[in-house]
Amino acid sequence: MNARQESKLNMYRALTQYCDKNAALIATVPAFSNALNTLKTKIAAIQSNASKESAQIGGIAQDKTAAKEILCTRTAEIAAAVYAYAHQTNNNTLRQKMNFSVSDLLRIKDDLLVPTCQVIYNQAQANLPNLADYALNAAALTTLQNAMNNYTNATPLVRNAIGNRSTFRINIKNLLKETDDLLKNQLDKISLQFKNTNPDFLLTYRQLRIIIDPTRTTTGIKIELKNNQTLLPVPNATISIAELNINATTGAGGIAHIKPVPHGNYTLLISAPGYQNAQSAVKVIQGKSNPLALQLQILQ
């Protein structure tokens, strides 16, 4: 969601929360109550698509980044061993082919990375009998092959996720249009029935209908989870906001993004296989990503 759409969603939420606080009054006008229930259904659908849009690319992109880092690290380690062997044997051609550091490999474009790693793999395989003294064996090459396979599998997932994200964006756009129509032609019109019975309610309703100018940055929460003993990332953790119907799952890097989230104070409920359940209070500031780093306790 962009900032303007987020501001609209926050307006919808504030409006329904205010109406819920005046449930007895709302019940006196059944048509308004029915339209309000429809509004809540629309909001839930928008939130669901927004969460999927955010998670669709975020988690998969993190997994791809992690796979790339592993591949580049493994490849550079093997290249270094073969480079040393080539230098010892005065094989300048082989040494030049192995002249790659981790940073060199990370800079290579996606489509060229695996072919580059494959060249290093092939040269290591061809010279494997001579590389025992360099702590390079068949198991190391198998690890590199697995890293190439994992990265190859992760790359199209990101491309597919981008396509899926476009679908969620279209859904959000259509849902916002439907919700605006519901407000303009149903709730706003019916709300006039409260003019005489409760003018203060109508005044506040109209004030809440104003969309606050959005900031440039979409408001949300960025959570990073780590193992409290090893400090390694905790993937596949489920994070819920107790006060809202919003959930997210951490990717391979132990990171999850939840957005949009209206500004305010919330309680995060966190669960992950093999770890103790946890919760944390978080204050969400409008226009910020609101990062939060937590360490989970391992189950004893």
Side-chain angles (χ1 to χ4, degrees):
M1 294 184 76
N2 59 40
R4 175 67 179 177
Q5 291 173 332
E6 177 196 344
S7 292
K8 274 194 175 187
L9 179 56
N10 288 340
M11 180 268 287
Y12 300 157
R13 287 167 168 159
L15 198 62
T16 57
Q17 289 172 2
Y18 176 66
C19 289
D20 285 342
K21 291 179 181 179
N22 292 272
L25 176 63
I26 298 301
T28 63
V29 183
F32 189 93
S33 181
N34 292 335
L36 180 63
N37 288 333
T38 302
L39 174 61
K40 292 178 180 179
T41 301
K42 297 289 185 185
I43 291 173
I46 294 169
Q47 289 179 164
S48 175
N49 278 273
S51 296
K52 291 175 181 177
E53 176 201 3
S54 176
Q56 185 66 213
I57 188 68
I60 294 175
Q62 291 167 19
D63 291 346
K64 178 192 171 187
T65 299
K68 183 174 184 177
E69 290 174 351
I70 291 172
L71 173 58
C72 293
T73 300
R74 297 289 180 269
T75 303
E77 291 170 351
I78 289 176
V82 181
Y83 181 98
Y85 164 73
H87 180 78
Q88 179 67 27
T89 58
N90 295 317
N91 189 336
N92 293 326
T93 300
L94 179 59
R95 185 175 64 178
Q96 187 60 37
K97 290 180 181 180
M98 298 297 109
N99 192 20
F100 286 96
S101 65
V102 174
S103 57
D104 292 333
L105 293 166
L106 287 171
R107 286 193 292 267
I108 295 176
K109 293 181 179 180
D110 289 350
D111 293 342
L112 298 177
L113 179 57
V114 171
T116 300
C117 296
Q118 187 67 56
V119 169
I120 294 171
Y121 175 94
N122 292 341
Q123 293 297 326
Q125 180 70 55
N127 291 278
L128 193 59
N130 303 315
L131 295 171
D133 290 344
Y134 297 84
L136 193 57
N137 52 35
L141 292 184
T142 298
T143 299
L144 175 56
Q145 183 63 63
N146 291 336
M148 286 192 287
N149 294 341
N150 291 338
Y151 181 73
T152 299
N153 293 333
T155 300
L157 292 178
V158 174
R159 294 170 181 161
N160 293 337
I162 292 173
N164 292 336
R165 186 172 63 176
S166 297
T167 299
F168 294 129
R169 285 178 173 173
I170 293 172
N171 291 344
I172 291 169
K173 182 178 179 180
N174 291 335
L175 285 165
L176 288 170
K177 183 178 180 180
E178 294 169 6
T179 305
D180 286 341
D181 181 76
L182 174 67
L183 283 166
K184 179 180 179 181
N185 297 306
Q186 289 289 312
L187 285 161
D188 289 354
K189 299 296 184 184
I190 303 172
S191 69
L192 295 176
Q193 300 304 313
F194 301 108
K195 183 176 182 180
N196 295 324
T197 59
N198 198 320
D200 289 341
F201 172 82
L202 180 59
L203 176 61
T204 303
Y205 174 91
R206 287 174 172 173
Q207 291 174 339
L208 290 172
R209 281 285 280 118
I210 299 172
I211 300 174
I212 299 174
D213 289 338
T215 57
R216 293 183 179 180
T217 305
T218 301
T219 306
I221 306 173
K222 178 184 177 182
I223 305 102
E224 182 177 8
L225 301 180
K226 291 184 178 181
N227 182 305
N228 72 307
Q229 295 183 8
T230 65
L231 299 183
L232 292 174
V234 178
N236 302 317
T238 299
I239 302 168
S240 304
I241 301 180
E243 295 80 2
L244 302 172
N245 185 26
I246 301 178
N247 300 299
T249 303
T250 56
I255 296 174
H257 296 269
I258 304 178
K259 59 182 181 180
V261 179
H263 64 90
N265 297 310
Y266 300 99
T267 302
L268 299 183
L269 305 177
I270 305 162
S271 62
Y275 293 88
Q276 297 179 22
N277 292 341
Q279 68 179 50
S280 176
V282 59
K283 181 178 181 180
V284 175
I285 300 174
Q286 182 75 24
K288 303 292 184 180
S289 62
N290 299 286
L292 181 66
L294 299 173
Q295 294 181 12
L296 298 187
Q297 303 284 332
I298 299 175
L299 283 174
Q300 301 300 326

